[in-house]
């Protein structure tokens, strides 16, 4: 889709996630600073976009995803749903922040009941509609998207968003994002800080030099969900323990089978129920080469607290 924000004069909402999270899979906050500073100084540069293929894919598929999502959403209500693509950015000029919206869905003559994660939202009026393609999708609305959408709602005055995602399974996944006043205030503070750094020519500190991130007290935020994280983590730790035990047991049984095959001097054999192959083979040793492109991967750790 067309980009309506002006680099060097305002931040776009797609640049907010690196500011809030310090970095994403595709960009750091310092890289955002570099791009905006060069543009503000009139320095011509050829921008190297690391996820160009993903960007092109999203741009070409955006219209189809938006239409498909509208078709699915219309099934949920008797109200009339229409959508349009805004032709200009929504701006908070005093903050120097702009938002290019993919589409806006209008609901006329009723509400749109949308259920996600056992919670039903009654959407009405106009809704921000953000479309994504994500071929590493794990079934959740990513923090990057939630931050971007809150920036869009902050600029546009809309307070409801549907994120429609075409994933690697070929299915359409849709997520509601409601306006978060606390997050919006955090965005304003970080954008203000960003432009102060631009004006003073002050880079961000290296991420490696910063202290380890603080662990937020999740008990203060769980009222926003209907999930018991301790119970979920208990379940995960139990299943992980059982999986590790089964994996070790599998390795022992495999070693026994290999031992039997080696003692018989047979590499390919069959029993009444199975065909067995057990042989040493030589394979070329491959070297991983940096392609210059990036892809998202999820870092996930759970450790039981002792205090």
């Amino acid at each position: 889709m067309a980009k309506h924000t002006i680099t060097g004069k305002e931040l776009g909402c797609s640049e907010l996630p690196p500011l809030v999270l310090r970095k994403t899979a595709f960009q750091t906050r310092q890289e955002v600073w570099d791009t905006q500073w060069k543009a503000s100084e009139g320095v011509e540069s050829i921008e190297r976009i690391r996820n160009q293929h993903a960007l092109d894919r999203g741009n070409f598929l955006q219209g189809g995803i938006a239409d498909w999502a509208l078709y699915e959403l219309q099934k949920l209500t008797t109200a009339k749903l229409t959508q349009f693509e805004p032709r200009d950015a929504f701006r908070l000029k005093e903050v120097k922040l702009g938002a290019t919206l993919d589409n806006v869905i209008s609901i006329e003559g009723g509400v749109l009941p949308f259920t996600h994660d056992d919670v039903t939202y009654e959407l009405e009026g106009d809704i921000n509609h953000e479309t994504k393609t994500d071929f590493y999708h794990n079934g959740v609305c990513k923090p990057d998207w939630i931050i971007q959408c809150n920036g869009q709602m902050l600029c546009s005055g809309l307070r409801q968003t549907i994120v429609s995602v075409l994933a690697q399974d070929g299915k359409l996944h849709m997520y509601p994002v409601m306006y978060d006043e606390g997050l919006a205030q955090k965005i304003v503070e970080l954008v203000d800080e960003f432009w102060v750094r631009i004006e003073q020519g002050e880079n961000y500190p290296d991420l490696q030099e910063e202290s380890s991130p603080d662990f937020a007290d999740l008990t203060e935020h769980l009222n926003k969900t209907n999930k018991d994280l301790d119970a979920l983590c208990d379940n995960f730790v139990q299943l992980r323990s059982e999986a590790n035990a089964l994996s070790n047991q599998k390795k022992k049984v495999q070693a026994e089978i290999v031992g039997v095959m080696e003692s018989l001097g047979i590499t390919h054999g069959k029993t009444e129920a199975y065909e067995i192959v057990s042989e040493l083979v030589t394979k070329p040793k491959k070297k991983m080469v940096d392609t210059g492109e990036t892809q998202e991967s999820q870092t996930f750790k759970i450790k039981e607290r002792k205090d």
Side-chain angles (χ1 to χ4, degrees):
M1 66 173 296
K3 176 179 178 291
H4 299 304
T5 53
I6 305 170
T7 303
K9 296 183 180 295
E10 60 194 357
L11 275 168
C13 289
S14 62
E15 296 172 299
L16 292 176
L19 264 62
V20 177
L21 303 173
R22 301 182 182 181
K23 65 176 181 178
T24 66
F26 303 115
Q27 204 174 29
T28 67
R29 61 186 180 180
Q30 182 58 44
E31 288 172 329
V32 175
W33 188 98
D34 291 340
T35 300
Q36 290 282 353
W37 184 84
K38 289 176 183 177
S40 68
E41 294 293 314
V43 177
E44 292 187 12
S45 62
I46 299 174
E47 196 172 345
R48 181 170 176 261
I49 302 175
R50 285 179 288 179
N51 58 329
Q52 184 65 57
H53 293 303
L55 185 62
D56 290 342
R57 181 182 66 219
N59 285 337
F60 280 111
L61 296 179
Q62 176 195 320
I65 296 169
D67 290 344
W68 185 7
L70 189 70
Y71 172 77
E72 295 295 335
L73 291 170
Q74 185 64 78
K75 296 177 183 178
L76 305 178
T77 180
T78 56
K80 181 183 178 182
L81 305 186
T82 57
Q83 73 178 341
F84 66 93
E85 180 181 333
R87 296 302 178 186
D88 197 4
F90 294 88
R91 292 182 166 89
L92 284 182
K93 293 183 179 179
E94 67 276 15
V95 183
K96 297 172 74 174
L97 177 66
T100 300
L101 305 190
D102 288 347
N103 286 279
V104 173
I105 295 176
S106 295
I107 305 171
E108 300 177 19
V111 300
L112 170 61
F114 186 87
T115 301
H116 174 71
D117 213 10
D118 298 327
V119 176
T120 298
Y121 302 84
E122 291 197 344
L123 309 178
E124 57 186 339
D126 289 339
I127 304 172
N128 177 34
H129 187 199
E130 178 70 16
T131 56
K132 299 289 185 184
T133 61
D134 182 14
F135 287 4
Y136 302 95
H137 194 54
N138 60 358
V140 298
C141 191
K142 294 182 178 180
D144 307 37
W145 303 343
I146 294 172
I147 294 166
Q148 179 184 0
C149 291
N150 268 274
Q152 292 168 340
M153 290 187 282
L154 174 64
C155 291
S156 66
L158 302 176
R159 291 298 179 258
Q160 309 160 107
T161 295
I162 292 287
V163 180
S164 298
V165 186
L166 177 62
Q168 68 273 17
D169 58 4
K171 296 180 180 178
L172 187 66
H173 303 256
M174 291 187 285
Y175 305 98
V177 178
M178 301 295 109
Y179 183 68
D180 184 329
E181 188 69 48
L183 177 54
Q185 182 58 41
K186 182 69 173 177
I187 287 170
V188 170
E189 292 171 1
L190 291 172
V191 172
D192 282 341
E193 179 198 354
F194 177 86
W195 288 113
V196 169
R197 287 181 177 274
I198 290 288
E199 290 166 7
Q200 297 177 352
E202 180 184 354
N203 292 318
Y204 283 99
D206 291 340
L207 293 176
Q208 291 82 357
E209 295 177 2
E210 295 186 339
S211 58
S212 299
D214 295 329
F215 281 78
D217 185 354
L218 293 172
T219 60
E220 298 176 1
H221 301 276
L222 289 179
N223 61 329
K224 300 177 183 178
T225 77
N226 63 340
K227 300 294 184 182
D228 184 341
L229 266 184
D230 278 331
L232 288 171
C233 289
D234 285 343
N235 191 25
F236 176 85
V237 170
Q238 177 65 30
L239 291 170
R240 180 176 63 186
S241 176
E242 292 174 2
N244 289 339
L246 286 172
S247 178
N248 291 333
Q249 186 178 350
K250 184 191 77 168
K251 290 176 182 177
K252 290 178 181 178
V253 174
Q254 178 179 324
E256 263 194 85
I257 296 171
V258 169
V260 171
M261 298 292 282
E262 287 182 347
S263 67
L264 295 173
I266 297 173
T267 60
H268 294 66
K270 59 185 178 181
T271 66
E272 291 184 3
Y274 299 98
E275 290 183 353
I276 303 171
V277 177
S278 177
E279 63 178 331
L280 291 174
V281 296
T282 302
K283 295 182 178 179
K285 188 174 182 180
K286 296 183 179 179
K287 184 178 182 181
M288 299 292 288
V289 178
D290 187 355
T291 64
E293 296 183 352
T294 60
Q295 68 182 40
E296 290 187 337
S297 67
Q298 183 76 39
T299 297
F300 180 76
K301 298 178 183 177
I302 288 181
K303 181 172 69 173
E304 191 170 1
R305 296 178 63 186
K306 301 301 182 183
D307 55 321

